[in-house]
Amino acid sequence: MKSLIFKILKIALPLLLGFFLIYISYNQFTDEEREKVYSYLLDANYAWIALAVTFAFLSHLSRAWRWNYMLETLGKKPKFITNVMAIGAGYAMNLIIPRSGEISRAAIINRSDHIPMDKAIGTIIAERVLDLIILLIITATAILSAGDAIIGFFKDHLESAFAKADPIKATLYIAIFLLIIISIIFISRKLQLFNKVKSFILGMKEGFMTIWTMKKKWLYFFHTLFIWSMYLVMFYVSIYAIPGIETIPISAILCAFVAGSFAVAFTNGGFGAYPYFIAQVLLVFGISETLGTSFGWILWLSQTMLVLVYGLISLLLLSLRGSLSSK
């Protein structure tokens, strides 16, 4: 019973955080500002978004191809289409249960090519480590390129916030925030998350070392760079979808990209957090919160639709293939 409750909370808490961020975002807008957000969404040039989605899908295909370089070290090489479907199904699962996609990916190639689950998960951990290193490099670049703007923004707005703060609202927001943090800590302890984190770090170290022992490691690194290039290009071309965003500097694009990337870790697929974080970052660069929020929602909705369609098609094809093989 307790484990069931913890599993439910593990799914529910990120969703509640997402709804809370949406509430904060829209509650501060006037009716006129809300209408402006809706008009931005309706009037956007979705040809640019379609192009951005294409770049995103190319990154998924590259990820599927890259995976085989790692799996070859295990003496296995699944078909490319199997990897494509496994990754699509994994992305779809992550929208429902955070971090469940990695298990789904490993389970699919375990069933199709008899690759042991632990070894398959090890290859996924290894690619996550390398991806994290790339993201941290982009994060450092973003901070260095926009350091003065970020420091100046927080200095001005913190002074203004303390001067105009409503004590009751501030207390309520702090209480809700602390409640969420306490709940996460409580659930983490009950699930022995701290021990799992320690084991995960050790697993990452072992997994990462296999990158250097694989035969085609330079091709693996090439695909890694290609994947992240596609992510950045996807984000860049999207700024042309809404008039007013296209004027932002490269430093703003990098900072918003980083904010969106980390937002995905906070809630299911970035629900609520992705548009909120992007809007807050773009405020630093003089983009209105209505425009920034609209941009964040267009990005999140388009990428989520891609994941849903890609994931559902992958699950359907895997189901059909399973039915045919069992006959």
Side-chain angles (χ1 to χ4, degrees), residues 25-75:
S25 178
Y26 281 87
N27 191 51
Q28 65 188 343
F29 291 149
T30 63
D31 290 340
E32 185 180 344
E33 287 172 329
R34 290 190 190 100
E35 286 299 321
K36 193 175 287 187
V37 171
Y38 301 145
S39 68
Y40 282 135
L41 293 173
L42 292 173
D43 298 336
N45 186 342
Y46 283 95
W48 288 107
I49 298 302
L51 182 60
V53 168
T54 301
F55 286 128
F57 187 63
L58 286 175
S59 76
H60 300 330
L61 294 180
S62 181
R63 186 176 292 277
W65 194 276
R66 182 184 71 166
W67 197 12
N68 262 350
Y69 295 134
M70 184 74 74
L71 293 174
E72 282 178 2
T73 64
L74 305 177

Side-chain angles (χ1 to χ4, degrees), residues 66-121:
R66 182 184 71 166
W67 197 12
N68 262 350
Y69 295 134
M70 184 74 74
L71 293 174
E72 282 178 2
T73 64
L74 305 177
K76 302 284 185 177
K77 189 178 180 181
K79 292 180 180 178
F80 173 63
I81 190 63
T82 301
N83 289 357
V84 171
M85 291 187 292
I87 286 170
Y91 282 145
M93 289 300 298
N94 274 338
L95 289 177
I96 304 168
I97 306 172
R99 314 323 305 170
S100 64
E102 284 75 5
I103 305 299
S104 301
R105 279 177 60 179
I108 289 166
I109 62 166
N110 170 260
R111 182 177 296 180
S112 66
D113 291 82
H114 309 291
I115 297 173
M117 281 287 292
D118 56 343
K119 292 184 178 179
I121 291 172

Side-chain angles (χ1 to χ4, degrees), residues 79-299:
K79 292 180 180 178
F80 173 63
I81 190 63
T82 301
N83 289 357
V84 171
M85 291 187 292
I87 286 170
Y91 282 145
M93 289 300 298
N94 274 338
L95 289 177
I96 304 168
I97 306 172
R99 314 323 305 170
S100 64
E102 284 75 5
I103 305 299
S104 301
R105 279 177 60 179
I108 289 166
I109 62 166
N110 170 260
R111 182 177 296 180
S112 66
D113 291 82
H114 309 291
I115 297 173
M117 281 287 292
D118 56 343
K119 292 184 178 179
I121 291 172
T123 63
I124 296 169
I125 289 173
E127 74 173 44
R128 288 287 182 249
V129 173
L130 191 55
D131 287 338
L132 178 61
I133 290 170
I134 300 295
L135 178 56
L136 291 176
I137 291 170
I138 295 171
T139 302
T141 305
I143 292 171
L144 289 172
S145 64
D148 292 340
I150 293 170
I151 292 169
F153 175 84
F154 280 107
K155 183 181 177 182
D156 294 342
H157 282 72
L158 283 174
E159 289 174 357
S160 175
F162 281 120
K164 299 177 181 178
D166 181 336
I168 296 174
K169 273 190 176 181
T171 303
L172 178 62
Y173 287 154
I174 291 170
I176 293 172
F177 177 75
L178 288 175
L179 181 62
I180 292 171
I181 295 298
I182 291 168
S183 300
I184 290 171
I185 292 172
F186 175 74
I187 292 168
S188 298
R189 286 181 175 174
K190 286 292 184 180
L191 292 173
Q192 296 182 331
L193 189 61
F194 297 113
N195 289 332
K196 290 182 180 180
V197 168
K198 184 179 178 182
S199 299
F200 178 72
I201 291 171
L202 291 173
M204 285 198 302
K205 181 182 176 183
E206 293 175 9
F208 185 63
M209 292 309 294
T210 62
I211 294 174
W212 300 99
T213 59
M214 75 173 76
K215 293 179 180 178
K216 299 177 181 177
K217 55 178 172 288
W218 298 116
L219 285 172
Y220 189 90
F221 291 140
F222 168 78
H223 276 276
T224 300
L225 292 175
F226 179 81
I227 290 165
W228 282 93
S229 296
M230 289 300 97
Y231 289 164
L232 288 167
V233 172
M234 170 208 77
F235 202 94
Y236 177 75
V237 299
S238 298
I239 69 175
Y240 294 101
I242 304 179
I245 294 285
E246 75 279 3
T247 58
I248 61 174
I250 294 296
S251 57
I253 295 171
L254 289 175
C255 288
F257 173 82
V258 168
S261 299
F262 282 110
V264 174
F266 280 83
T267 59
N268 303 44
F271 172 70
Y274 191 94
Y276 180 78
F277 283 15
I278 285 179
Q280 298 308 304
V281 167
L282 291 180
L283 268 176
V284 177
F285 299 91
I287 300 297
S288 69
E289 197 153 6
T290 53
L291 185 55
T293 299
S294 304
F295 179 62
W297 274 111
I298 285 175
L299 277 173

